[in-house]
Amino acid sequence: MAAEADIQRVADLLNRRIKCTLQDGRTVEGNLQCLDRLKNIILDDAEEVRWIRNAASIYNPNSPVETKDGDDGKQQDTDDNSDITVVKRIMAQALIPGKHLIKVELLQEEN
């Protein structure tokens, strides 16, 4: 009985716009077309977004990026995203392997 409810919940998501966050920080938005038992997802009308740190800020010791010690002793990045480039890529379809998924979100539909 519970399995039928879960299947219906997933069936209700078909053709709805979702956002997938991957292990490497990329996000992919698209219309859900397929989901298998391994959590592999196929999206239609997909758009991938990547955030890339500019090479000049990585290798420039005078870069405005600073690090400070956090409460846990680890260094934290304190930049204001001024040295980040956003790269978008439009794809007709995308296959997202379930082993790379971190989070899947249902996006609100515009009325």
Side-chain angles (χ1 to χ4, degrees):
M1 195 64 113
E4 292 175 11
D6 292 338
I7 291 171
Q8 185 59 46
R9 231 178 274 142
V10 171
D12 291 341
L13 294 175
L14 289 176
N15 296 314
R16 305 243 342 244
R17 195 119 182 116
I18 63 170
K19 178 179 178 179
C20 300
T21 304
L22 307 179
Q23 289 176 338
D24 61 1
R26 288 180 293 168
T27 62
V28 182
E29 292 183 16
N31 300 320
L32 179 64
Q33 296 300 309
C34 182
L35 172 70
D36 68 7
R37 62 185 174 86
L38 298 175
K39 295 184 273 182
N40 298 318
I41 293 178
I42 296 177
L43 299 178
D44 192 26
D45 189 27
E47 178 180 359
E48 174 191 62
V49 179
R50 295 186 300 152
W51 292 269
I52 302 172
R53 180 176 297 271
N54 294 332
S57 67
I58 294 173
Y59 299 109
N60 182 0
N62 299 323
S63 171
V65 177
E66 300 175 57
T67 57
K68 66 176 184 178
D69 289 332
D71 296 334
D72 57 0
K74 295 181 181 176
Q75 290 197 337
Q76 300 173 349
D77 204 3
T78 59
D79 67 348
D80 62 354
N81 293 336
S82 61
D83 59 343
I84 302 290
T85 302
V86 177
V87 179
K88 293 184 179 182
R89 181 169 60 155
I90 305 297
M91 300 175 280
Q93 286 191 325
L95 170 65
I96 301 169
K99 66 182 180 179
H100 297 299
L101 279 173
I102 297 294
K103 178 171 55 172
V104 177
E105 305 170 75
L106 177 64
L107 297 177
Q108 290 196 2
E109 298 175 355
E110 296 178 14
N111 292 328

